[in-house]
Amino acid sequence: MQNKRRIAVIFLLPVFLGLLAGCGQGPGGGATPTPYPTLARVTYTVQRGDIVINAKLSGQIEPVTVKSISFPMDGHVAHVYVQPNETVTKGELLADLTELKDLEAKAQEIRRAVERSQINLEIAQTLLDKYKSGGFSAFDIKLQELNVQLAQISLEETLAQYGLTDASTALNAIDAQVNAARLFSPIDGLIISEPAPAQVVTSSSVAFVIGDPNQLEAVTTPDTSPPQDVLKMMFEGMPVTVLSAAKPDTQMTGKVRQLPSPYGTGESSNLIVRIVLNQPPSKDTYQAGDKVTVRVELANKKGVLWLPPAAIHQVGGRTFVIADAGLGPQRIEIEIGLQTQDKVEIVAGLTEGQIVIGL
């Protein structure tokens, strides 16, 4: 039985090998190799042209000169009688505190006590004058003089009880205590910011900010993220173009007045860019509260070499391209300058018309 199996294997083996050999032959009898896929190479040409970098900032028109004011006392804001961008006059009531009601009730109590003591003193003094002019006895006059002294002492004690010192100015002092819970505008101006009802305020915290409506500027921030990429390319005095949302057909000009630190002389706690306009404020140009868009040309280079960003590689702190040389790809280190979303300036390392390969 085993011998029959061996004979069958020996017989079939040449046939199987022949079939395998036939599978690898072409029409001419030779072997046909399996083709590899050809990878498409993306190439770029070094071109010469212009590179312009623009930036957009957004904000609104606000007064340049501002004055911060505070309540004379600590408390909680009850009523706010003005709105942002509203014009106010000197002496106008801006807001009051919830503590005002208690102060008014206390002031009424003090006022009555002081007035009562003042009336008693006046009655005693009037009777004394009558006694002296009416031929009263020395005893009656002396007794009335003592009544005047008692009334004077009573008035002084009343004033001392309520922390008042001068009878002639006592009522004014009472009014001043009540007005400590009210805040009046110290100047003519424009409301820039204000507190909210129920907000806690102190005598050292800013409640209102008031500006001069005749001296306005654009207070803006860059639209680009991160904004530092724009700020580092700007400088104070830089020319800009300003468009108002209220008057989109009116194009105005101006310049950067202040940049935030460390890019300029402003505060480092914010990213505010202040723009002063060349045109004066008016109904035909701009007014406080107008929303504005500021456009600034950060850079403009003409006739420079450039490549698209996809053609440039940066590894290990080195910047290079893969050039399509005659003997094969060649890595060339380059120096770059201005960069936009679609163009990178080639400062050194390549020439116009040179072909590079993208990876």
Side-chain angles (χ1 to χ4, degrees):
M1 184 69 177
Q2 291 179 353
N3 291 334
K4 290 181 179 181
R5 290 177 179 175
R6 289 174 182 173
I7 293 171
V9 170
I10 294 171
F11 176 76
L12 294 174
L13 182 60
V15 176
F16 180 70
L17 293 175
L19 291 172
L20 289 177
C23 291
Q25 293 179 350
T32 303
T34 301
Y36 290 98
T38 302
L39 296 177
R41 296 191 306 174
V42 179
T43 61
Y44 304 94
T45 303
V46 179
Q47 301 182 56
R48 188 176 296 277
D50 303 337
I51 297 182
V52 180
I53 300 180
N54 294 314
K56 187 177 74 169
L57 299 86
S58 300
Q60 70 176 16
I61 300 296
E62 296 182 4
V64 176
T65 304
V66 296
K67 183 175 182 63
S68 301
I69 58 174
S70 307
F71 278 94
M73 62 175 286
D74 301 349
H76 302 76
V77 177
H79 305 98
V80 179
Y81 300 106
V82 294
Q83 300 293 327
N85 298 319
E86 182 177 338
T87 301
V88 297
T89 58
K90 183 178 181 180
E92 182 175 344
L93 178 62
L94 304 178
D96 54 33
L97 303 177
T98 57
E99 290 76 8
L100 176 63
K101 184 176 180 180
D102 292 339
L103 286 174
E104 287 178 329
K106 186 66 174 178
Q108 183 67 16
E109 174 190 334
I110 297 173
R111 184 184 297 275
R112 288 177 177 176
V114 171
E115 288 178 343
R116 185 181 297 110
S117 296
Q118 288 177 328
I119 290 172
N120 288 336
L121 177 59
E122 185 177 354
I123 291 174
Q125 184 64 52
T126 301
L127 284 175
L128 178 59
D129 294 340
K130 180 179 180 180
Y131 285 3
K132 288 181 178 180
S133 63
F136 283 76
S137 66
F139 174 81
D140 290 335
I141 293 175
K142 180 62 177 178
L143 185 62
Q144 191 57 35
E145 287 176 344
L146 293 175
N147 287 333
V148 171
Q149 292 180 19
L150 288 174
Q152 181 65 43
I153 292 172
S154 176
L155 175 59
E156 292 173 354
E157 289 176 345
T158 300
L159 294 175
Q161 178 184 352
Y162 296 110
L164 304 172
T165 57
D166 188 352
S168 63
T169 59
L171 298 182
N172 290 335
I174 295 171
D175 291 338
Q177 291 179 0
V178 173
N179 283 333
R182 297 188 178 105
L183 189 57
F184 300 88
S185 177
I187 59 172
D188 295 342
L190 194 75
I191 298 297
I192 297 176
S193 65
E194 62 180 15
Q199 179 178 329
V200 177
V201 294
T202 67
S203 58
S204 60
S205 63
V206 174
F208 286 84
V209 177
I210 303 177
D212 184 347
N214 297 316
Q215 299 183 33
L216 305 178
E217 67 180 356
V219 179
T220 65
T221 54
D223 291 356
T224 305
S225 181
Q228 290 82 354
D229 289 348
V230 171
L231 295 175
K232 67 183 180 182
M233 298 183 68
M234 298 180 68
F235 58 88
E236 293 180 349
M238 194 175 205
V240 299
T241 301
V242 182
L243 296 174
S244 171
K247 304 166 187 66
D249 297 332
T250 302
Q251 180 172 297
M252 297 167 286
T253 59
K255 63 181 180 180
V256 177
R257 182 178 75 83
Q258 188 179 72
L259 291 170
S261 177
Y263 313 101
T265 58
E267 298 180 1
S268 60
S269 59
N270 57 53
L271 299 173
I272 291 177
V273 178
R274 299 184 181 275
I275 307 294
V276 58
L277 286 82
N278 296 329
Q279 294 77 19
S282 70
K283 294 181 179 180
D284 298 326
T285 54
Y286 60 93
Q287 293 179 309
D290 286 354
K291 302 295 184 182
V292 294
T293 298
V294 176
R295 300 188 183 278
V296 54
E297 186 178 276
L298 301 176
N300 188 339
K301 285 191 175 182
K302 299 184 180 299
V304 298
L305 298 179
W306 65 272
L307 280 171
I312 298 172
H313 315 286
Q314 292 179 316
V315 178
R318 294 185 174 184
T319 304
F320 62 91
V321 297
I322 305 301
D324 189 7
L327 300 178
Q330 177 185 4
R331 191 177 83 167
I332 300 177
E333 293 192 10
I334 62 173
E335 180 182 348
I336 61 176
L338 294 180
Q339 301 180 53
T340 66
Q341 292 184 345
D342 55 356
K343 292 181 180 181
V344 177
E345 178 190 7
I346 307 300
V347 177
L350 295 174
T351 58
E352 183 178 359
Q354 199 167 354
I355 305 298
V356 301
I357 304 170
L359 295 181

